[in-house]
Amino acid sequence: MSGHGHGHGHGHGCGCAGEHEPAERGLEYGLYQRIDLEKLQCLNESRDGDGKLVFKPWEERNQRDKFVESDADEELLFNIPFTGSVKLKGIIISGEDDDSHPAEIRLYKNIPQMSFDDTGREPEQAFRLNRDPRAELEYPTKIARFSSVQHLSIHISKNFGEESTRVYYIGLRGEYSEAHRHEVTICNYEASANPADHKVESIIPQTNFIS
């Protein structure tokens, strides 16, 4: 009896966590705001610029008016530059509930202007996807490999059998930090300290020489 009661209680606890999860996940999935959308590329999109539309707020993840569809075949390649450094922790990819949904993705980091010719190299991580029309499934990344990402490439290499692939939402979860803040601080310190040292050394001999 006690075992049954414990199991029931545990199940109820999980249900409560699930009810509160969406609001928390909405905050966690805010990395779309840190993408340099002007420089984002989507290769093999059927209409120019549509690849940018799938990086949108969490509360819009199930809207169907914005999407990207592949053109020549089922593959898509997103080149995503961030405005700083990102520690990527998870990704969600949502498509139609049919065979046009992505079935496999490959993630690469810090390879700007990546092309389909470059996708033969070993990815940092690859995932086989399930159909996820409601944007509910997160695929956790190996954080050690994605701890300092300035540029992320997502290669959708196949779908479930359709000639073209359709994507409604790509969600990125992680942490963001401003680019090169630490290095700039060090440079400023050196720039202000070193000239002062040289100034003191150079004035004394000049003064002596003049007098």
Side-chain angles (χ1 to χ4, degrees):
M1 287 291 290
S2 60
H4 176 74
H6 175 73
H8 178 74
H10 178 71
H12 179 70
C14 289
C16 289
E19 290 170 16
H20 297 294
E21 189 180 32
E24 295 170 5
R25 291 179 87 185
L27 294 175
E28 292 175 342
Y29 273 86
L31 281 183
Y32 71 93
Q33 300 174 82
R34 307 300 187 179
I35 295 172
D36 189 347
L37 281 177
E38 290 298 313
K39 297 178 181 176
L40 185 147
Q41 294 178 318
C42 180
L43 304 187
N44 197 37
E45 58 187 357
S46 61
R47 188 168 55 188
D48 287 347
D50 279 359
K52 300 176 181 181
L53 303 178
V54 300
F55 298 92
K56 50 192 176 184
W58 174 256
E59 57 271 17
E60 297 177 14
R61 67 194 183 281
N62 289 320
Q63 294 182 7
R64 292 297 190 248
D65 57 329
K66 296 177 181 179
F67 60 88
V68 62
E69 199 159 26
S70 65
D71 188 17
D73 55 26
E74 77 275 19
E75 294 186 60
L76 286 166
L77 178 60
F78 296 88
N79 284 318
I80 307 159
F82 295 104
T83 56
S85 183
V86 165
K87 179 187 289 185
L88 184 66
K89 297 182 176 182
I91 184 169
I92 289 176
I93 293 197
S94 179
E96 197 64 78
D97 192 14
D98 60 21
D99 288 346
S100 70
H101 193 290
E104 182 179 275
I105 60 169
R106 298 155 64 85
L107 304 182
Y108 302 83
K109 72 171 185 179
N110 300 338
I111 311 175
Q113 308 294 323
M114 190 170 178
S115 70
F116 282 108
D117 291 337
D118 299 318
T119 59
R121 70 175 68 190
E122 190 73 19
E124 296 294 330
Q125 197 167 358
F127 297 100
R128 289 181 179 172
L129 308 183
N130 293 305
R131 289 186 185 86
D132 185 21
R134 304 297 298 171
E136 297 169 329
L137 303 177
E138 177 187 295
Y139 299 90
T141 61
K142 297 174 181 176
I143 297 176
R145 294 190 179 186
F146 294 94
S147 60
S148 182
V149 181
Q150 287 84 43
H151 187 283
L152 177 70
S153 295
I154 302 174
H155 177 214
I156 298 177
S157 52
K158 62 176 68 174
N159 60 23
F160 286 92
E162 281 286 334
E163 291 183 4
S164 62
T165 296
R166 180 177 287 205
V167 178
Y168 288 108
Y169 174 75
I170 296 180
L172 303 172
R173 182 173 69 84
E175 299 173 8
Y176 172 85
S177 58
E178 296 289 343
H180 308 306
R181 184 166 54 191
H182 183 62
E183 289 85 343
V184 169
T185 303
I186 292 172
C187 290
N188 287 343
Y189 173 76
E190 291 176 350
S192 60
N194 290 345
D197 295 340
H198 293 301
K199 191 175 182 181
V200 172
E201 293 170 1
S202 61
I203 286 175
I204 296 170
Q206 284 177 3
T207 305
N208 291 342
F209 179 76
I210 294 170
S211 61

